[in-house]
Amino acid sequence: MHSPELSLRARLPRIRLGRPSNRLVIGIAVSAYLIISWMILKANGNPPVRFHLDASRLIDASIAIKIHVAGALSAFVIGTVLMLGVKGRGLHKTLGYGWVVAMMVTAVSSFFVVGLNGNHFSWIHGISAWTVIGLPMGVAAARRKDIAKHRKHMTGMFVGAMLVAGLFTFLPGRMMWSIFFTA
Ligand code: HEM
């Protein structure tokens, strides 16, 4: 017999992250994020970090950044719904194409955004290039009914591009961080 606690856990929606390597990527990214954030704050004299809401940096930002953030937030929401495993082939297909468009907008718009590495592209643009190549490959795999490859491409991109690049936008001093925190 299952305990009531166990059966509740079994009924809760679960994010399907696919291969164990995806969990490893998340673990490494979160650890790196915490260490780099600590180093940045330490280099700035460990100021007290306070929560606030101030979108002025985003409001004053370039149109490329606004398009980028709109695409990224849409891709995050649609991607999370897809990773929860939506029922029905039609809904999965509709949301899937929506996710591909949102990810493409996010990646392509990022080529018009620089700053982390002065006026040059930074390592995050490598993730954008991988996304532009990986998205059509994931769609092609679905069209030829190679579900294993389709899942591998898409979950890999959700974790490796969406979650990792998204997490690092919340490093202290970057725009997304400054919307929620002050130091
Ligand atoms: C929730 C997800 C995301 C949010 C909220 C977000 C937000 C932002 C913002 C506000 C900037 C410009 C300001 C800054 O650098 O602080 C930025 C830059 C950038 N983002 Fe994102 N982003 C997300 C996901 C992604 C994804 C999935 C990719 C790649 C596919 C990406 C690639 C880039 C690149 C290449 C830059 C320019 C970095 C540089 O200055 O060199 N972002 N992002």
Side-chain angles (χ1 to χ4, degrees), residues 149-165:
K149 196 148 258 164
H150 170 67
R151 185 178 294 146
K152 188 176 154 200
H153 276 302
M154 296 318 202
T155 53
M157 248 175 304
F158 182 76
V159 172
M162 184 79 253
L163 296 187
V164 172

Side-chain angles (χ1 to χ4, degrees), residues 161-183:
M162 184 79 253
L163 296 187
V164 172
L167 178 66
F168 280 90
T169 58
F170 285 89
L171 279 176
R174 287 193 71 184
M175 188 179 293
M176 295 311 291
W177 188 87
S178 71
I179 293 177
F180 298 100
F181 302 104
T182 178

Side-chain angles (χ1 to χ4, degrees), residues 57-58 61 65-66 68-73 75-76 103 106-118 120-132 157-158 160-171 173-177 179:
R57 263 183 81 184
L58 182 59
I65 292 182
K66 285 179 182 138
H68 178 73
V69 172
L73 295 182
F76 179 72
M103 279 300 276
T106 306
V108 172
S109 60
S110 78
F111 290 113
F112 299 89
V113 181
V114 284
L116 278 187
N117 188 26
H120 305 281
F121 286 153
S122 65
W123 65 271
I124 311 180
H125 290 96
I127 300 183
S128 305
W130 169 48
T131 304
V132 169
M157 248 175 304
F158 182 76
M162 184 79 253
L163 296 187
V164 172
L167 178 66
F168 280 90
T169 58
F170 285 89
L171 279 176
R174 287 193 71 184
M175 188 179 293
M176 295 311 291
W177 188 87
I179 293 177

